[in-house]
Amino acid sequence: MYKKKIASCILLGAGAVVASTSSWAAEVPAGTKLAKVQELVRGNRAEPATLDPDLIEGIPGANVANDLFEGLVTLDANGNTIPGVASSWETKDNKTYIFHLRKNAKWSNGKPVTAQDFVFSLRRAVDPATASPYSWYLEESNIANASEIIDGKKDKDTLGVKALNAHTLEITLASPLPYFVKMLVNSVMMPVYPPAIKKWGDKWTQPSHMVSNGAYELEKRVVGGRIVLKRNPYYWNNKNTVINKVTYVSDTEQTSAMNRFLAGEEQMTYSMPIDQFKRLQKEHPQDVKTTGSLAVYYYGLNNTKKPFNDVRVRKAISYAIDRDIITKSILGQGQIPAYNLTPDIVAGFTPITPNWEKMSQEERVEKAKAFLKAAGYDKAHPLSFSLLYNTSGNNKKIATAIQAMLKQELDVHVTLVNQEWKTYLQTLSQGDFIAARQSWFGDYNEPSTFLNLMTTSNAENDSKYHNSQYDALISKAMTVTNDAERNKLYHQAEQLLARDMPVAPIYQYVTARLVSPSIGGYPMHNAQDYIYTKNLYIKAKQSS
């Protein structure tokens, strides 16, 4: 018998899940005076490439989608999985899940959100014609026939999703997956409004065309400028929403974002300039918020192109990066050096300590030199390569530091290449890079959200790492219901990554941003950094 507590759900008997009908909403403490104007300006990581949940790839789009749309489940302030559109759900075998939708869940045009809407949306996500960059996520979540549909071997209508009636959705998996419900918070699992797609095609995300089911609806979008959302009066929990309007601005340049915040033009930044952190912490302690984050920063190494088609070169570059300098001297916000792909903060899992982590930095550099020499590189035949990073002052500082480290320790010449977010994503997906700055923010709180990245079939495996033994370990782990047994498989997978070094882990994130004290409801314990505007409120200024 498999028994495990999953957030607000409890697996009982043979695996039946009973979920509470509660939902997290803006909880305003008694006696709190609210500001008359409930409008928020918040920073975003970059300009979203799209607002289509099925086409979103990356944090910028997901942040906005979390306000515009709502899936079957959502997260509370502590990162627990709680009911969203689905008020409850159950499963007897971790393979067939039944979701009961709220009868008062509506789209922003007042039409009811139905089980058939979810069927349409999930089928659209795996349909090759949609070309969703996240179609692999439904494959990883084990939904029946997802793999075959993505490969063009079966029709999208065969996907394991069925509307039993207007408010009851059945999802059937190819094999049991005990953490399936956790995976449903991702934007690709959110519903889209079928009539809007059918009428407007790829233009359905324009403000005058978009219909959404979240706490907010799209009012205005200026590409390269601002995204403005207003309250959705038809949202099922609208009575508990406080903020009336939220405006997203791009915080690509952290210094500019800081200046906007200090000038009162932005109430919550996405991040802050790393070289200003200590000053801000000293001069504006009430504004600095630092929390743990379910994320890892790493350099992707293209395993199919020279020089990184040679594991010795991959190891040399990774070993020579001094992670203590990066985390303590350059960042200094509490980041932790990373030697694994899976961060320490993942729930219920303790990552292994690979042998190279136990070495001193001097020992790693000596190993790196030996690796390069064995690979045929020396002063007469120096190694050089290009490193791609997306526009960000912080990314540039880290890349410049690593460029200097590799030159000093290994006499390796690195050319830095900077691209804006949308172009950067295209370059990665096309494999048109040698090495690239990358990061991964967990889609759900379980090791597989990181380890799945390196499987052969994963579309986010930009480094093109292919190892059948690794794939088999991850595939087996997906079916294991015993946590200890599954964690052993994850440890074996990490050992293979340490051996093959397809990517160079650099540090485990913390989230450090500027947040106005006037904002109430800010979550300090959500490792996935999901900040739903509907759960925030703005306090009135206190008279002096």
Side-chain angles (χ1 to χ4, degrees), residues 15 97 103 118 125:
Y97 290 80
K103 294 183 179 179
F118 278 93

Side-chain angles (χ1 to χ4, degrees), residues 2 4 17 54 133-135 309 327 333 352 368 424 462 500:
Y2 175 67
K4 182 182 178 185
V17 178
D54 288 334
Y134 246 67
S135 61
N309 58 346
T327 55
Q333 300 169 326
I352 62 168
Y424 158 84
D462 297 313
D500 297 343

Side-chain angles (χ1 to χ4, degrees), residues 507-526:
Y507 69 83
Q508 301 175 35
Y509 275 84
V510 294
T511 298
R513 59 169 55 98
L514 295 167
V515 181
S516 171
S518 66
I519 295 179
Y522 183 82
M524 290 296 293
H525 304 288
N526 188 322

Side-chain angles (χ1 to χ4, degrees), residues 17-83:
V17 178
V18 178
S20 69
T21 56
S22 63
S23 177
W24 187 38
E27 297 180 0
V28 183
T32 300
K33 291 185 178 181
L34 295 174
K36 292 182 179 180
V37 178
Q38 290 292 322
E39 296 183 359
L40 171 68
V41 178
R42 58 183 286 187
N44 202 358
R45 185 177 184 179
E47 171 74 15
T50 179
L51 296 181
D52 185 331
D54 288 334
L55 299 181
I56 286 172
E57 182 182 17
I59 298 299
N63 285 338
V64 183
N66 282 339
D67 279 347
L68 288 171
F69 299 91
E70 184 172 270
L72 295 166
V73 299
T74 183
L75 297 181
D76 69 9
N78 295 315
N80 296 315
T81 306
I82 61 173

Side-chain angles (χ1 to χ4, degrees), residues 82-156:
I82 61 173
V85 173
S87 60
S88 63
W89 54 89
E90 68 263 3
T91 181
K92 294 180 179 180
D93 54 7
N94 292 321
K95 184 177 180 180
T96 300
Y97 290 80
I98 305 296
F99 295 88
H100 303 282
L101 277 56
R102 301 177 189 276
K103 294 183 179 179
N104 60 340
K106 295 181 180 180
W107 294 98
S108 54
N109 61 2
K111 300 292 184 180
V113 177
T114 68
Q116 189 57 45
D117 292 336
F118 278 93
V119 171
F120 173 89
S121 304
L122 294 173
R123 286 176 176 174
R124 179 176 182 258
V126 295
D127 186 351
T130 304
S132 170
Y134 246 67
S135 61
W136 61 269
Y137 190 80
L138 282 83
E139 184 177 15
E140 297 286 0
S141 64
N142 244 12
I143 298 180
N145 294 326
S147 296
E148 293 82 353
I149 297 167
I150 292 169
D151 292 340
K153 297 177 181 177
K154 288 188 177 181
D155 187 88
K156 66 178 185 297

